[in-house]
Short mmCIF file of all heavy atoms in Angstrom, two decimals:
data_model
loop_
_atom_site.label_atom_id
_atom_site.label_comp_id
_atom_site.label_asym_id
_atom_site.label_seq_id
_atom_site.Cartn_x
_atom_site.Cartn_y
_atom_site.Cartn_z
N ARG Y 139 24.54 -4.18 -11.52
CA ARG Y 139 25.55 -4.79 -10.67
C ARG Y 139 25.31 -6.28 -10.43
O ARG Y 139 26.17 -7.05 -10.40
CB ARG Y 139 25.42 -4.09 -9.26
CG ARG Y 139 26.50 -4.49 -8.29
CD ARG Y 139 26.32 -3.89 -6.92
NE ARG Y 139 25.18 -4.35 -6.26
CZ ARG Y 139 24.91 -4.05 -5.02
NH1 ARG Y 139 25.73 -3.32 -4.27
NH2 ARG Y 139 23.74 -4.49 -4.51
N GLU Y 140 24.02 -6.61 -10.22
CA GLU Y 140 23.65 -8.08 -10.06
C GLU Y 140 24.03 -8.88 -11.31
O GLU Y 140 24.50 -9.91 -11.24
CB GLU Y 140 22.19 -8.19 -9.73
CG GLU Y 140 21.77 -9.64 -9.36
CD GLU Y 140 20.41 -9.71 -8.80
OE1 GLU Y 140 19.80 -8.58 -8.69
OE2 GLU Y 140 19.92 -10.86 -8.60
N PHE Y 143 27.68 -9.26 -11.43
CA PHE Y 143 28.10 -10.13 -10.42
C PHE Y 143 27.91 -11.58 -10.89
O PHE Y 143 28.87 -12.39 -10.85
CB PHE Y 143 27.32 -9.92 -9.13
CG PHE Y 143 27.65 -11.03 -8.08
CD1 PHE Y 143 28.69 -10.84 -7.26
CD2 PHE Y 143 26.76 -12.06 -7.85
CE1 PHE Y 143 29.05 -11.77 -6.34
CE2 PHE Y 143 27.04 -12.94 -6.97
CZ PHE Y 143 28.18 -12.91 -6.08
N TYR Y 195 29.96 -14.14 -1.31
CA TYR Y 195 29.81 -12.85 -1.93
C TYR Y 195 28.42 -12.70 -2.61
O TYR Y 195 28.25 -13.16 -3.75
CB TYR Y 195 30.96 -12.72 -3.04
CG TYR Y 195 32.21 -12.56 -2.30
CD1 TYR Y 195 33.09 -13.68 -2.24
CD2 TYR Y 195 32.71 -11.44 -1.63
CE1 TYR Y 195 34.34 -13.56 -1.60
CE2 TYR Y 195 33.85 -11.31 -1.01
CZ TYR Y 195 34.74 -12.46 -1.04
OH TYR Y 195 35.91 -12.27 -0.37
N ASP Y 196 27.48 -12.23 -1.81
CA ASP Y 196 26.12 -11.94 -2.30
C ASP Y 196 26.04 -10.74 -2.97
O ASP Y 196 26.40 -9.70 -2.35
CB ASP Y 196 25.17 -12.10 -1.00
CG ASP Y 196 23.74 -11.98 -1.41
OD1 ASP Y 196 23.43 -11.79 -2.63
OD2 ASP Y 196 22.88 -12.14 -0.53
N PRO Y 197 25.44 -10.58 -4.19
CA PRO Y 197 25.38 -9.27 -4.80
C PRO Y 197 24.51 -8.26 -4.16
O PRO Y 197 24.64 -6.98 -4.24
CB PRO Y 197 24.79 -9.56 -6.22
CG PRO Y 197 24.11 -10.90 -6.08
CD PRO Y 197 24.90 -11.60 -4.98
N SER Y 198 23.60 -8.75 -3.29
CA SER Y 198 22.74 -7.73 -2.49
C SER Y 198 23.48 -7.17 -1.35
O SER Y 198 22.96 -6.23 -0.82
CB SER Y 198 21.49 -8.50 -2.10
OG SER Y 198 21.85 -9.50 -1.06
N GLY Y 199 24.62 -7.79 -1.03
CA GLY Y 199 25.35 -7.35 0.14
C GLY Y 199 24.80 -7.74 1.46
O GLY Y 199 25.36 -7.42 2.57
N ALA Y 200 23.69 -8.63 1.48
CA ALA Y 200 23.08 -9.07 2.68
C ALA Y 200 23.86 -10.10 3.39
O ALA Y 200 24.02 -10.16 4.58
CB ALA Y 200 21.70 -9.54 2.41
N GLY Y 201 24.57 -10.99 2.66
CA GLY Y 201 25.34 -11.99 3.24
C GLY Y 201 24.47 -13.03 3.91
O GLY Y 201 23.26 -12.97 3.96
#
Side-chain angles (χ1 to χ4, degrees):
R139 183 186 68 170
E140 185 172 356
F143 174 82
Y195 294 100
D196 185 354
S198 67

